[in-house]
């Protein structure tokens, strides 16, 4: 290895240029930690004519992947180009050439993480992807190193900055969904196509990765019950606020021993819950473990330099492993293949906003229905034409049953809003 270790970058966008800057700015500290210099030897780009905000020596940039993947001096490949198929192809080639891989690519890891980890192991290579979840928060290492001795039961996360920003603005300023989204795009948090943010898919990918590592189970993306924020009515934000909640897009993961529950849903969170204070584009992951109890990781979930710190920390870890002769030995391939939890295993409180006719009997009829099915109502608010209810903790199966029966009641015209409620004490 000598006194220099060569790194090849695939991609030079927001994260790639941040990686170059962190390596430059923190070179002395890194050299002290590692006893060697980290050198960006080749960088794969798509468009050689694009202006780039980084200073690199002549001959470093290339448009030919082979110049990076087949360079015998390069030990570590950093994939920050995004997309799935091409990135998968390049990473597989890197392993075959015995190069270690770091990626920030949540789409790729959510879809193919376990397969790539297996491939890495077969070639005695390292694969790290700290930057794929919650950018600047070292949550993956938090789970796989810091909390490795504990049994993690449950994770709740705000893992998408765009939607958190939108919901914060809707809640605090009464902004419309579209105005808040336009602002998030201007500020650069949203993906180029914000559909994945808004529909919850970006958060679902991150939750699949978190659940996999926390529960060592092969959680796939289809297992994540996903709902976005585009249809949230300001009325539900407002009623939620009056009842002591704040609306957040919450990723929820729970280990049920034989199965795993993972969802991403707009959730009314009690204002007393630590995640309720996470505002604007910030991310946070709240972890519940058998020994640790509750702990929360908070920070920026996106952005060039925060995300690049995660990538460069992975580079440091790989180099230390190379120095120790310990590459390819990380045990993050999932141990179990637990399926998705059944609706009768998934419990939560629920908020329901019913549209009702102006009839004195309707509240009594609705209350009786809940009583008959055995679900206590914790909060009820009657408004002209609307009935707002918060249930005790009940199963998703019970919720579906009661929703079907509610709409059959005379004077109940429909269910205008239905949200999971989390964070109430004693639930
Ligand atoms: N679009 C993502 C977000 C970027 O808003 O959180 C970081 O993955």
């Amino acid at each position: 290895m000598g006194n220099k270790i060569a790194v090849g970058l695939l991609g030079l966008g927001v994260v790639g240029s941040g990686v170059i800057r962190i390596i430059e700015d923190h070179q002395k500290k890194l050299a002290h930690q590692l006893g060697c210099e980290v050198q960006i030897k080749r960088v794969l780009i798509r468009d050689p004519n694009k202006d780039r905000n980084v200073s690199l020596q002549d001959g470093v940039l290339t448009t030919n992947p082979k110049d990076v993947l087949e360079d015998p001096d390069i030990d570590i490949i950093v994939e920050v180009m995004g997309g799935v198929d091409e990135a998968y192809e390049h990473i597989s080639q890197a392993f075959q050439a015995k190069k270690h891989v770091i990626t920030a690519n949540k789409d790729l890891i959510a879809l193919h993480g376990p397969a790539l980890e297996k491939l890495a192991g077969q070639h005695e290579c390292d694969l790290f992807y700290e930057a794929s979840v919650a950018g600047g928060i070292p949550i993956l290492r938090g789970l796989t190193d810091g909390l490795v001795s504990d049994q993690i039961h449950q994770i709740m996360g705000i893992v998408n900055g765009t939607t958190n920003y939108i919901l914060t603005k809707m809640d605090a300023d009464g902004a419309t969904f579209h105005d808040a989204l336009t602002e998030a795009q201007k500020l650069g948090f949203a993906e180029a196509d914000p559909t994945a943010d808004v529909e919850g898919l970006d958060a679902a990918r991150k939750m699949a990765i978190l659940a996999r590592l926390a529960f060592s189970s092969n959680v796939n993306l289809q297992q994540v019950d996903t709902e976005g924020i585009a249809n949230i009515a300001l009325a539900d934000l407002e009623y939620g606020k009056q009842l002591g909640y704040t609306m957040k897009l919450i990723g929820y993961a729970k280990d049920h021993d034989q199965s795993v529950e993972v969802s991403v849903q707009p959730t009314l969170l009690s204002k007393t819950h630590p995640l309720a204070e996470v505002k604007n584009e910030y991310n946070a992951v709240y972890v519940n473990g058998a020994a640790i109890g509750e702990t929360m990781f908070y920070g920026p979930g996106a952005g060039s330099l925060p995300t690049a710190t995660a990538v460069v920390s992975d580079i440091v870890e790989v180099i230390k492993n190379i120095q120790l002769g310990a590459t390819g030995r990380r045990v993050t391939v999932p141990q179990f293949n637990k399926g998705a939890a059944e609706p009768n295993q998934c419990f939560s409180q629920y908020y329901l906003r019913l549209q009702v006719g102006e009839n004195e009997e309707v509240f009594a009829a609705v209350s009786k229905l809940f009583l008959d099915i055995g679900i206590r109502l914790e909060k009820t608010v009657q408004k002209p034409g609307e009935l707002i209810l918060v249930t005790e903790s009940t199963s998703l199966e019970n919720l579906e049953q009661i929703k079907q029966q509610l709409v059959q009641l005379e004077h109940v015209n429909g269910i205008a809003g239905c949200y999971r409620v989390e964070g109430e004490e004693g639930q």
Side-chain angles (χ1 to χ4, degrees):
M1 184 168 72
N3 61 355
K4 227 178 225 180
I5 186 133
V7 174
L9 268 188
L10 304 176
L12 188 55
V14 175
V15 181
S17 46
V19 169
I20 290 177
R21 199 159 137 208
I22 296 269
I23 290 177
E24 255 173 35
D25 291 357
H26 303 172
Q27 186 66 254
K28 272 197 188 139
K29 181 185 175 187
L30 295 172
H32 175 71
Q33 288 277 321
L34 295 167
C36 67
E37 192 192 325
V38 181
Q39 179 207 17
I40 301 288
K41 181 147 190 259
R42 299 306 306 262
V43 180
L44 177 70
I45 51 167
R46 283 202 179 95
D47 178 3
N49 298 317
K50 194 172 159 185
D51 271 345
R52 307 205 179 252
N53 204 5
V54 287
S55 59
L56 288 165
Q57 284 180 345
D58 287 348
V60 171
L61 297 182
T62 175
T63 52
N64 184 354
K66 285 185 178 174
D67 290 340
V68 187
L69 295 166
E70 293 180 10
D71 184 324
D73 293 340
I74 290 178
D75 286 308
I76 302 173
I77 297 291
V78 173
E79 184 276 303
V80 282
M81 59 192 280
V84 174
D85 295 339
E86 205 183 343
Y88 188 100
E89 194 59 31
H90 290 338
I91 291 176
S92 309
Q93 276 176 31
F95 289 145
Q96 273 150 28
K98 292 255 181 239
K99 297 185 193 303
H100 309 285
V101 174
I102 288 148
T103 174
N105 192 331
K106 61 210 154 183
D107 307 22
L108 176 74
I109 295 297
L111 284 171
H112 302 299
L116 284 171
E117 300 225 42
K118 214 167 154 193
L119 201 59
Q122 283 164 1
H123 291 90
E124 291 175 33
C125 289
D126 275 343
L127 169 68
F128 292 120
Y129 43 89
E130 182 64 65
S132 66
V133 179
I137 309 176
I139 181 61
L140 302 192
R141 209 157 272 125
L143 293 172
T144 57
D145 289 350
L147 296 173
V148 68
S149 59
D150 204 357
Q151 194 74 35
I152 307 301
H153 294 317
Q154 185 213 55
I155 292 182
M156 277 166 64
I158 294 176
V159 288
N160 182 270
T162 303
T163 46
N164 203 41
Y165 183 85
I166 293 172
L167 291 175
T168 304
K169 294 292 160 200
M170 286 170 76
D171 186 64
D173 310 340
T176 64
F177 169 78
H178 287 287
D179 288 349
L181 172 60
T182 309
E183 215 176 314
Q185 281 175 304
K186 273 193 207 141
L187 291 167
F189 316 134
E191 300 292 322
D193 172 1
T195 319
D197 292 307
V198 168
E199 292 187 352
L201 185 57
D202 177 81
R205 290 171 181 143
K206 293 166 181 167
M207 288 310 297
I209 298 170
L210 285 176
R212 218 179 258 160
L213 292 178
F215 312 139
S216 194
S217 184
N218 197 354
V219 175
N220 62 48
L221 207 46
Q222 291 72 43
Q223 239 171 291
V224 187
D225 191 4
T226 306
E227 187 190 329
I229 65 162
N231 298 323
I232 296 175
L234 280 173
D236 292 313
L237 282 180
E238 196 45 49
Y239 288 137
K241 223 191 263 190
Q242 289 170 21
L243 291 165
Y245 307 119
T246 181
M247 186 73 87
K248 294 284 181 195
L249 185 68
I250 295 290
Y252 185 90
K254 190 174 168 79
D255 189 0
H256 290 277
D257 288 338
Q258 305 302 318
S259 62
V260 171
E261 172 186 357
V262 193
S263 66
V264 170
Q265 289 168 20
T267 299
L268 285 166
L269 194 64
S270 165
K271 283 189 177 147
T272 59
H273 193 280
L275 284 173
E277 281 306 311
V278 178
K279 301 214 166 116
N280 295 316
E281 73 277 21
Y282 277 86
N283 282 198
V285 182
Y286 174 88
V287 181
N288 211 300
I292 192 85
E294 301 165 25
T295 182
M296 190 162 101
F297 300 71
Y298 170 86
S304 175
L305 293 180
T307 310
T309 61
V311 172
V312 178
S313 300
D314 281 348
I315 294 178
V316 169
E317 179 132 358
V318 172
I319 296 175
K320 285 184 174 170
N321 284 346
I322 294 173
Q323 289 168 337
L324 294 168
T327 54
R329 306 231 188 114
R330 203 171 167 82
V331 193
T332 40
V333 177
Q335 199 180 350
F336 307 110
N337 232 326
K338 303 176 181 183
E342 296 294 330
N344 64 2
Q345 295 178 291
C346 304
F347 277 72
S348 176
Q349 286 184 270
Y350 288 96
Y351 160 105
L352 293 149
R353 176 161 62 95
L354 309 183
Q355 287 172 323
V356 295
E358 305 276 333
N359 182 291
E360 286 174 11
E361 309 285 294
V362 69
F363 181 65
V366 168
S367 302
K368 184 173 181 310
L369 189 62
F370 276 89
L371 193 69
D372 289 348
I373 222 166
I375 303 172
R376 204 173 59 239
L377 290 172
E378 297 283 353
K379 295 177 184 173
T380 56
V381 181
Q382 293 186 62
K383 299 270 178 189
E386 286 186 323
L387 199 51
I388 295 111
L389 315 167
V390 178
T391 70
E392 67 174 333
S393 182
T394 191
S395 70
L396 186 55
E397 186 180 44
N398 279 348
L399 176 80
E400 293 307 334
Q401 191 186 341
I402 200 129
K403 276 166 74 180
Q404 279 176 18
Q405 295 185 14
L406 276 169
V407 289
Q408 283 164 20
L409 284 181
E410 205 181 344
H411 307 301
V412 172
N413 301 328
I415 301 173
C418 176
Y419 295 101
R420 191 172 175 129
V421 172
E422 286 292 337
E424 294 260 60
E425 274 165 36
Q427 290 290 331

